[in-house]
Structures are given as C-alpha cells and as structure tokens.
Amino acid sequence: MQHFQHSILIDATPAAVYAALTTLHGLRGWWSEDCDSDGDTIHMRFGQVHKDFCVTSAQPEREVRWLCSSTPGEARCTDEWVGTEPVFQLQRAGQGTRLDFEHLGLTPALSCYAMCEQGWHQYLESLRQYAVTGRGAPYPLATAEASA
C-alpha cells in the first residue's frame, strides 16, 4: 500500500532547508514550538500528542530521516506512528531546493491517515515559509500549554 508522499519546491538553499530540519531552532520555527532533544532523539509535542523521533540519517543538504520510536503522553490517537519513518530528500533545483518527502509506513489503512495527511500538507508549507522567510506557522507553544 502506498505511503504518504509530497514534493515541494522551496526558494531557499538546501543548506537552509537542512538547518530547518536538523536544529531545534528550525524545528520550532516550522513544526512545533514545543520540542527538545536529547542527543539523537527529538521530542515533539502538539498539546497532549507527543512523538519521539530517533534521527537515523542526517546527510548535510541531502537527506534527513527519522524513526518514530514512541508516542508518550496522553495521545488522542493510537500509537500508529511508532515504527514509521519520515524521510526528507533535498535536491538543488535552480537557486532553490526540491524537497521530496515520504512518510514510510503512513498509509491510508491507518485510522490517523486523513488527519496526518492534512497535517503534513500544512506543516510542509510551514517549512517552505520558514526556509524562505525565517517565519513559519508551527504548532504554537501557547496552544500546547493551554491544552496541558
């Protein structure tokens, strides 16, 4: 069964997109303001929904690959993401970057697929905005604190 895929062109260098994917400052700028890291594990929080990702590949300006290792906390949905792999492939395209995104294991058979598909479209657009302007539309920390 086909997993989620989406490609976008970003009017920013592969280095800028890579930094957005591999630094806490970058991740907080486009995905969730409520995140931290302890070594190779990234802890993302969206209110009561938490997801932990192990970084399995970080090839500067080429690829970032994560493995969802757990979904701690009081998640509203099941732990369907555990074992799935978000993969970001970067390729120079003129003055910008082509981002080919795949979420391996995120398939239409999962109950969370429709919500996650919509979420990835929203946050990949946020990533584009962040890489180009320095300002994305991440899940806000105020919302995360209010729902705790």
Side-chain angles (χ1 to χ4, degrees):
M1 189 169 288
Q2 188 71 15
H3 55 264
F4 179 77
Q5 299 177 330
H6 188 65
S7 296
I8 58 174
L9 295 174
I10 302 173
D11 192 19
T13 66
V17 178
Y18 182 80
L21 296 168
T22 58
T23 65
L24 285 177
H25 181 76
L27 292 168
R28 289 176 182 145
W30 69 270
W31 202 10
S32 176
E33 292 177 345
D34 190 8
C35 71
D36 58 56
S37 174
D38 57 12
D40 286 338
T41 301
I42 302 165
H43 308 283
M44 301 298 296
R45 289 173 289 280
F46 307 87
Q48 293 181 4
V49 175
H50 299 194
K51 301 199 182 303
D52 292 341
F53 298 94
C54 295
V55 178
T56 60
S57 178
Q59 300 174 29
E61 303 181 30
R62 297 187 62 222
E63 178 186 83
V64 175
R65 182 182 292 255
W66 303 325
L67 172 66
C68 185
S69 57
S70 65
T71 56
E74 299 176 26
R76 291 174 296 183
C77 54
T78 66
D79 60 358
E80 291 180 318
W81 274 38
V82 174
T84 67
E85 298 179 85
V87 179
F88 303 83
Q89 298 283 335
L90 310 175
Q91 183 176 322
R92 182 167 291 284
Q95 300 293 352
T97 302
R98 176 184 170 94
L99 170 68
D100 293 314
F101 175 78
E102 299 178 277
H103 191 152
L104 304 174
L106 181 63
T107 65
L110 300 179
S111 65
C112 71
Y113 185 82
M115 178 179 64
C116 294
E117 177 183 40
Q118 179 182 11
W120 274 126
H121 283 285
Q122 173 186 334
Y123 287 116
L124 290 171
E125 181 57 32
S126 176
L127 170 59
R128 179 198 331 248
Q129 292 171 6
Y130 177 80
V132 172
T133 68
R135 184 172 214 165
Y139 188 89
L141 185 57
T143 300
E145 290 173 343
S147 66

